[in-house]
Amino acid sequence: MDHLNYIQAFRDPAAAGALRARLQELGATLAARGRHVQVMEVCGSHTMSIARFGLRDLLPLNVTLISGPGCPVCVTAPGYIDAAIELARRGVIVATFGDMLHVPGSDSSLADCRAAGGRIEVCYSPRGSLALAQANPGCGVVFLGIGFETTIAPVVSLLTRAAEARVTNLSLLTSFKLVPPALRAVLDDPGVKVDAFLCPAHVSAIIGLQPYEPFARKYGKPCVVAGFEPLDILAGLCAILAQVQEGRAEVENEYDRVVRPEGNPKARAVMERFLQPADAQWRGIGMLPASGLALRPEFADYDAEKRFGFSVGPGREPAGCLCGEVIKGKLAPPRCPLFATRCTPTAPVGPCMVSSEGTCAAWYKYERNQANG
Ligand code: SF4
């Protein structure tokens, strides 16, 4: 089967119709018991797929989807952007993935800094920053290492390549984050109602299923891992509603063509070699203990904060932006007064409108004419 046909197999309308019918049947049973079920889709790619394929319209009326803290760009604190801008102002070359360019810091973005003459270079892979460092041996190069478990191993592997190539002018400004502590923070917040998690696909491919067990056993929340195609998501939601209907709370894997129960031990070994647990600042959530990973002391030469003698602060959120509430699942984007007025993808106020995985961007692109929210 070629790639296109492979993808289309997970977008088959007849199969989607059958899953919709099953969802409606499960929803009706739960509605008869007076149950409303609120499911948090953790990952930004799920958010985008749900909006793009109109999956919200297929749900029973007593089932709601809310977005979680799974967009890595959105949860990056403004102080981190401020730090990257400060590095560029000091003459350092800042290398980054393109989706970070327009993320607002406390007062400006990396795009503003670049327009003012700062050397901000967009890379398409971490290796791009190594090539930059080799091409500019007289200049410090800092790669912005952000992201969840999915992307951490490829970023820190860069350090092995730098050491092999004897490149000494490359370092990382890290803001690596872990998904399970963020889910715990969501559940511990009395202002957020979550009945179940649709768990992220790529993150689960690295961490496996075990890290979700406490959410099922201790908190009684069904956790179902699902892929990104429409049939994946609908099947994941069916599995969640079936658990709720039967009074179960278990970890299930509806994406076993990619996610293995044990995850990817090799990737985790790479992470373990370079990184250690650290407290991390989350935009909208604040400082969460042991929710991130920082370079181990033996790799201090590659740590931009140590090399350039500064530390990343929390920064300030853009005035009027409610991304923090969106990230925690407390607010649907249309309820932000700035949504689609002062805040649009071409003039974003907050990161949730910037990122290709951002909840506000997803609603703006696909669902902004819907009255609910
Ligand atoms: S609509 Fe814009 S200002 Fe409002 S929460 Fe989303 S990104 Fe922030």
Side-chain angles (χ1 to χ4, degrees):
M1 192 183 286
D2 65 28
H3 180 69
L4 193 58
N5 283 331
Y6 178 76
I7 293 293
Q8 287 304 334
F10 296 97
R11 298 178 182 179
D12 177 62
L19 287 167
R20 176 180 186 265
R22 176 70 180 141
L23 276 175
Q24 294 293 336
E25 182 190 332
L26 288 162
T29 309
L30 290 164
R33 295 181 200 162
R35 280 294 309 262
H36 179 274
V37 181
Q38 185 140 280
V39 179
M40 174 172 276
E41 91 270 4
V42 176
C43 173
S45 295
H46 276 148
T47 300
M48 208 36 104
S49 254
I50 287 162
R52 177 182 173 201
F53 293 103
L55 302 186
R56 224 179 293 279
D57 293 341
L58 306 185
L59 300 181
L61 291 176
N62 58 324
V63 176
T64 313
L65 285 171
I66 56 170
S67 302
C71 159
V73 170
C74 304
V75 298
T76 299
Y80 179 85
I81 304 296
D82 299 344
I85 290 171
E86 174 58 25
L87 284 171
R89 285 186 182 140
R90 292 189 198 180
V92 172
I93 300 174
V94 174
T96 178
F97 291 132
D99 52 2
M100 290 291 283
L101 273 184
H102 296 280
V103 176
S106 297
D107 300 304
S108 60
S109 66
L110 289 166
D112 298 328
C113 177
R114 185 161 75 167
R119 185 106 186 254
I120 314 288
E121 300 284 348
V122 171
C123 295
Y124 296 96
S125 78
R127 278 200 207 192
S129 64
L130 181 58
L132 265 175
Q134 287 171 312
N136 296 274
C139 193
V141 175
V142 172
F143 182 71
L144 303 188
I146 71 148
F148 293 117
E149 291 91 335
T150 323
T151 47
I152 294 174
V155 173
V156 291
S157 297
L158 183 62
L159 303 186
T160 304
R161 297 184 203 288
E164 285 168 358
R166 299 184 193 283
V167 169
T168 57
N169 60 330
L170 178 65
S171 54
L172 297 177
L173 183 62
T174 62
S175 181
F176 296 133
K177 294 194 168 61
L178 304 172
V179 164
L183 301 191
R184 202 170 304 119
V186 165
L187 290 176
D188 288 340
D189 185 334
V192 187
K193 178 187 181 288
V194 174
D195 297 308
F197 288 117
L198 189 71
C199 296
H202 292 151
V203 165
S204 303
I206 304 298
I207 67 175
L209 304 182
Q210 192 283 329
Y212 303 116
E213 288 292 346
F215 306 122
R217 275 189 278 108
K218 182 178 163 203
Y219 291 89
K221 308 296 181 188
C223 294
V224 175
V225 176
F228 299 119
E229 292 299 326
L231 298 190
D232 291 321
I233 294 171
L234 294 174
L237 293 172
C238 281
I240 285 172
L241 293 192
Q243 285 200 37
V244 176
Q245 187 199 39
E246 293 161 19
R248 292 183 288 121
E250 296 168 5
V251 180
E252 278 184 60
N253 184 8
E254 286 286 332
Y255 197 34
D256 59 3
R257 67 184 187 276
V258 171
V259 174
R260 289 174 295 180
E262 71 279 17
N264 184 334
K266 281 188 183 167
R268 293 201 303 275
V270 171
M271 291 156 65
E272 171 84 7
R273 179 179 165 218
F274 288 102
L275 302 162
Q276 62 186 18
D279 300 346
Q281 185 78 33
W282 295 63
R283 191 185 287 253
I285 298 177
M287 186 66 85
L288 291 181
S291 66
L293 294 172
L295 286 168
R296 291 185 180 279
E298 56 266 41
F299 298 104
D301 286 351
Y302 293 107
D303 186 331
E305 284 184 79
K306 296 194 169 61
R307 179 180 277 206
F308 295 100
F310 70 99
S311 58
V312 174
R316 292 186 313 280
E317 307 285 343
C321 174
L322 298 178
C323 276
E325 303 297 289
V326 172
I327 286 165
K328 284 182 283 193
K330 288 182 169 177
L331 186 88
R335 289 177 56 205
C336 171
L338 307 188
F339 179 77
T341 54
R342 267 185 51 212
C343 182
T344 64
T346 48
V349 175
C352 296
M353 189 61 91
V354 174
S355 170
S356 58
E357 296 185 6
T359 306
C360 299
W363 275 81
Y364 186 91
K365 193 168 181 188
Y366 298 111
E367 300 180 297
R368 72 176 179 275
N369 295 324
Q370 294 189 9
N372 60 345

